Coordinates of all heavy atoms in Angstrom, one line a residue:
V1 N -5.2 201.7 74.3 CA -5.5 202.0 75.7 C -6.9 202.5 75.9 O -7.7 202.0 76.7 CB -4.5 203.0 76.3 CG1 -4.9 203.4 77.7 CG2 -3.1 202.5 76.3
A2 N -7.3 203.5 75.1 CA -8.6 204.2 75.2 C -8.9 205.0 74.0 O -7.9 205.4 73.2 CB -8.6 205.1 76.5
A3 N -10.1 205.3 73.8 CA -10.5 206.2 72.6 C -11.7 207.0 73.0 O -12.5 206.6 73.9 CB -10.8 205.3 71.4
I4 N -11.9 208.1 72.3 CA -13.0 209.0 72.6 C -13.5 209.6 71.3 O -12.7 210.0 70.4 CB -12.6 210.1 73.6 CG1 -13.8 211.0 74.0 CG2 -11.5 211.0 73.0 CD1 -13.5 211.9 75.2
S5 N -14.8 209.7 71.1 CA -15.3 210.3 69.9 C -15.1 211.8 69.8 O -14.8 212.4 70.8 CB -16.8 210.0 69.8 OG -17.5 210.5 70.8
W6 N -15.4 212.4 68.7 CA -15.0 213.8 68.5 C -15.8 214.7 69.4 O -15.2 215.8 69.8 CB -15.4 214.2 67.0 CG -16.8 214.2 66.7 CD1 -17.5 213.1 66.2 CD2 -17.8 215.3 66.8 NE1 -18.8 213.5 65.9 CE2 -19.0 214.8 66.3 CE3 -17.7 216.6 67.3 CZ2 -20.1 215.6 66.4 CZ3 -18.8 217.4 67.3 CH2 -20.0 216.9 66.8
G7 N -17.0 214.4 69.8 CA -17.8 215.1 70.7 C -17.7 214.7 72.2 O -18.3 215.4 73.0
G8 N -17.0 213.6 72.4 CA -16.8 213.2 73.8 C -17.9 212.3 74.3 O -17.9 211.8 75.4
G9 N -18.9 211.9 73.4 CA -20.0 211.1 73.9 C -19.8 209.6 73.9 O -20.6 208.9 74.5
S10 N -18.8 209.1 73.2 CA -18.5 207.7 73.2 C -17.1 207.5 73.8 O -16.1 208.0 73.2 CB -18.6 207.2 71.8 OG -19.9 207.3 71.3
L11 N -16.9 206.6 74.7 CA -15.7 206.3 75.3 C -15.4 204.8 75.2 O -16.3 203.9 75.4 CB -15.7 206.7 76.8 CG -16.1 208.1 77.1 CD1 -16.1 208.3 78.6 CD2 -15.2 209.1 76.5
Y12 N -14.2 204.4 75.0 CA -13.8 203.0 74.8 C -12.5 202.8 75.6 O -11.6 203.6 75.6 CB -13.6 202.6 73.4 CG -14.8 203.0 72.6 CD1 -14.9 204.2 71.9 CD2 -15.8 202.0 72.3 CE1 -16.0 204.5 71.1 CE2 -16.9 202.3 71.5 CZ -17.0 203.5 71.0 OH -18.1 203.8 70.2
Y13 N -12.4 201.6 76.3 CA -11.2 201.3 77.1 C -10.7 199.9 76.9 O -11.6 199.0 76.7 CB -11.5 201.5 78.6 CG -11.8 202.9 79.0 CD1 -13.1 203.3 79.1 CD2 -10.8 203.8 79.2 CE1 -13.4 204.6 79.5 CE2 -11.1 205.2 79.6 CZ -12.4 205.5 79.7 OH -12.7 206.8 80.1
A14 N -9.4 199.7 76.9 CA -8.9 198.3 77.0 C -9.2 197.8 78.3 O -9.3 198.4 79.3 CB -7.4 198.4 76.8
D15 N -9.4 196.4 78.4 CA -9.8 195.8 79.6 C -8.8 196.0 80.8 O -9.2 196.1 81.9 CB -10.0 194.2 79.4 CG -11.2 193.9 78.6 OD1 -12.1 194.8 78.5 OD2 -11.3 192.8 78.0
F16 N -7.6 196.1 80.4 CA -6.6 196.2 81.5 C -6.5 197.5 82.2 O -5.8 197.7 83.2 CB -5.2 195.8 80.9 CG -4.7 196.6 79.7 CD1 -4.1 197.8 79.9 CD2 -4.8 196.1 78.5 CE1 -3.6 198.5 78.9 CE2 -4.4 196.8 77.4 CZ -3.8 198.0 77.6
V17 N -7.2 198.5 81.7 CA -7.2 199.8 82.3 C -8.6 200.3 82.8 O -8.7 201.3 83.4 CB -6.7 200.9 81.3 CG1 -5.3 200.6 80.9 CG2 -7.6 201.1 80.1
K18 N -9.7 199.5 82.5 CA -11.0 199.8 83.0 C -11.0 200.0 84.5 O -10.5 199.2 85.2 CB -12.0 198.8 82.5 CG -12.3 198.8 81.1 CD -13.4 197.8 80.7 CE -13.8 197.9 79.2 NZ -14.7 196.9 78.8
G19 N -11.6 201.1 84.9 CA -11.7 201.4 86.3 C -10.5 202.1 86.9 O -10.6 202.6 88.0
R20 N -9.5 202.3 86.1 CA -8.3 203.0 86.5 C -8.0 204.2 85.7 O -7.5 205.3 86.3 CB -7.0 202.1 86.5 CG -7.1 200.9 87.4 CD -5.8 200.2 87.5 NE -5.3 199.7 86.2 CZ -4.2 200.0 85.7 NH1 -3.3 200.8 86.3 NH2 -3.8 199.4 84.5
F21 N -8.2 204.1 84.4 CA -7.9 205.3 83.5 C -9.2 205.9 83.0 O -10.2 205.2 82.9 CB -7.1 204.8 82.3 CG -5.7 204.3 82.6 CD1 -5.2 204.2 83.9 CD2 -4.9 204.0 81.5 CE1 -4.0 203.7 84.1 CE2 -3.6 203.6 81.8 CZ -3.1 203.4 83.0
A22 N -9.1 207.1 82.7 CA -10.3 207.8 82.1 C -9.8 208.8 81.0 O -8.9 209.6 81.2 CB -11.0 208.6 83.2
I23 N -10.4 208.7 79.8 CA -10.2 209.5 78.7 C -11.2 210.6 78.6 O -12.4 210.4 78.9 CB -10.1 208.7 77.4 CG1 -9.6 209.6 76.2 CG2 -11.5 208.1 77.0 CD1 -9.3 208.9 75.0
S24 N -10.8 211.8 78.3 CA -11.7 212.9 78.2 C -11.1 213.9 77.2 O -10.0 213.8 76.8 CB -11.9 213.6 79.6 OG -10.7 214.2 80.1
R25 N -11.9 215.0 76.9 CA -11.4 216.0 76.0 C -12.0 217.3 76.2 O -13.2 217.4 76.8 CB -11.6 215.6 74.5 CG -13.1 215.5 74.1 CD -13.2 214.8 72.7 NE -12.3 215.5 71.7 CZ -12.0 214.9 70.5 NH1 -12.4 213.6 70.3 NH2 -11.2 215.5 69.7
D26 N -11.4 218.3 75.9 CA -11.9 219.7 76.0 C -11.6 220.3 74.6 O -10.5 220.8 74.3 CB -11.2 220.5 77.1 CG -11.8 221.9 77.3 OD1 -12.5 222.4 76.4 OD2 -11.5 222.5 78.4
N27 N -12.7 220.3 73.8 CA -12.5 220.8 72.4 C -12.2 222.3 72.3 O -11.6 222.8 71.4 CB -13.7 220.4 71.5 CG -13.8 219.0 71.2 OD1 -12.8 218.2 71.4 ND2 -14.9 218.5 70.9
A28 N -12.7 223.0 73.3 CA -12.4 224.5 73.3 C -10.9 224.7 73.5 O -10.4 225.8 73.1 CB -13.2 225.1 74.5
K29 N -10.2 223.7 74.2 CA -8.8 223.9 74.4 C -8.0 223.0 73.4 O -6.8 223.0 73.5 CB -8.4 223.5 75.8 CG -9.0 224.4 76.9 CD -8.5 224.0 78.3 CE -9.1 225.0 79.3 NZ -8.6 224.6 80.6
N30 N -8.7 222.3 72.5 CA -8.1 221.5 71.5 C -7.2 220.4 72.2 O -6.0 220.2 71.7 CB -7.2 222.3 70.5 CG -8.1 223.3 69.7 OD1 -9.1 223.0 69.2 ND2 -7.6 224.5 69.7
T31 N -7.6 219.8 73.2 CA -6.8 219.0 74.1 C -7.6 217.7 74.5 O -8.8 217.8 74.8 CB -6.3 219.6 75.3 OG1 -5.6 220.9 74.9 CG2 -5.4 218.7 76.2
V32 N -6.9 216.5 74.4 CA -7.4 215.3 74.9 C -6.6 214.8 76.1 O -5.4 215.0 76.1 CB -7.4 214.2 73.8 CG1 -7.9 212.9 74.3 CG2 -8.2 214.7 72.6
Y33 N -7.2 214.3 77.1 CA -6.6 213.9 78.3 C -6.7 212.4 78.5 O -7.6 211.7 78.1 CB -7.1 214.6 79.5 CG -7.2 216.1 79.4 CD1 -8.3 216.8 78.9 CD2 -6.0 216.9 79.7 CE1 -8.3 218.1 78.8 CE2 -6.1 218.2 79.6 CZ -7.2 218.9 79.1 OH -7.2 220.3 79.0
L34 N -5.7 211.9 79.3 CA -5.8 210.5 79.8 C -5.4 210.6 81.3 O -4.2 210.8 81.6 CB -4.8 209.5 79.1 CG -4.9 208.1 79.6 CD1 -6.3 207.5 79.1 CD2 -3.8 207.3 78.9
Q35 N -6.4 210.5 82.2 CA -6.2 210.5 83.6 C -5.9 209.0 84.0 O -6.7 208.1 83.8 CB -7.4 210.9 84.3 CG -7.3 210.9 85.9 CD -6.2 211.8 86.4 OE1 -6.2 213.0 86.0 NE2 -5.4 211.4 87.3
M36 N -4.7 208.8 84.6 CA -4.3 207.5 85.0 C -4.2 207.4 86.5 O -3.4 208.1 87.1 CB -3.0 207.1 84.3 CG -3.0 207.2 82.8 SD -1.4 206.7 82.0 CE -0.3 208.0 82.6
N37 N -4.9 206.5 87.1 CA -4.9 206.3 88.5 C -4.5 204.9 88.8 O -4.6 204.0 88.0 CB -6.3 206.6 89.1 CG -6.8 208.0 88.9 OD1 -6.0 208.9 89.0 ND2 -8.1 208.1 88.6
S38 N -4.2 204.6 90.1 CA -3.8 203.3 90.6 C -2.7 202.7 89.6 O -2.9 201.5 89.2 CB -5.0 202.4 90.7 OG -5.9 203.0 91.6
L39 N -1.7 203.4 89.3 CA -0.7 203.0 88.3 C 0.0 201.8 88.8 O 0.3 201.7 90.0 CB 0.2 204.1 87.9 CG -0.4 205.1 87.0 CD1 0.4 206.4 87.0 CD2 -0.5 204.6 85.6
K40 N 0.4 200.9 87.9 CA 1.1 199.7 88.2 C 2.4 199.7 87.4 O 2.5 200.3 86.3 CB 0.3 198.5 87.8 CG -1.1 198.4 88.4 CD -1.9 197.2 87.8 CE -3.3 197.1 88.4 NZ -4.0 196.0 87.8
P41 N 3.4 199.0 87.9 CA 4.7 198.9 87.1 C 4.5 198.5 85.7 O 5.2 198.9 84.8 CB 5.5 197.9 87.9 CG 5.0 198.1 89.3 CD 3.6 198.3 89.2
E42 N 3.5 197.6 85.4 CA 3.3 197.1 84.0 C 2.7 198.2 83.1 O 2.5 197.9 81.9 CB 2.4 195.9 84.0 CG 1.1 196.0 84.9 CD 1.3 195.4 86.2 OE1 2.3 195.6 86.9 OE2 0.3 194.7 86.7
D43 N 2.3 199.3 83.7 CA 1.8 200.4 82.9 C 3.0 201.2 82.3 O 2.7 202.1 81.5 CB 1.0 201.4 83.7 CG -0.4 200.8 84.2 OD1 -1.0 200.0 83.4 OD2 -0.7 201.0 85.3
T44 N 4.2 200.9 82.7 CA 5.3 201.6 82.1 C 5.4 201.4 80.6 O 5.5 200.3 80.2 CB 6.6 201.1 82.8 OG1 6.6 201.4 84.2 CG2 7.9 201.7 82.2

């Protein structure tokens, strides 16, 4: 679906989610996120 480098400087997305999903991270919180917008049934 998506990937992010350790520092958050490099982002990669599968074609089917580009423009809809966003990967991010907060290393201070030891957490990685995936924001999913415009969800479709095929995202199930």
Side-chain angles (χ1 to χ4, degrees):
V1 176
I4 186 169
S5 60
W6 68 269
S10 298
L11 309 176
Y12 306 89
Y13 296 98
D15 288 341
F16 57 82
V17 301
K18 286 183 178 178
R20 299 191 298 126
F21 292 7
I23 188 171
S24 63
R25 69 190 305 161
D26 186 342
N27 288 341
K29 296 182 178 180
N30 301 312
T31 303
V32 179
Y33 305 96
L34 184 67
Q35 178 67 47
M36 304 184 294
N37 301 319
S38 302
L39 283 164
K40 306 174 181 179
E42 51 262 45
D43 294 320
T44 296

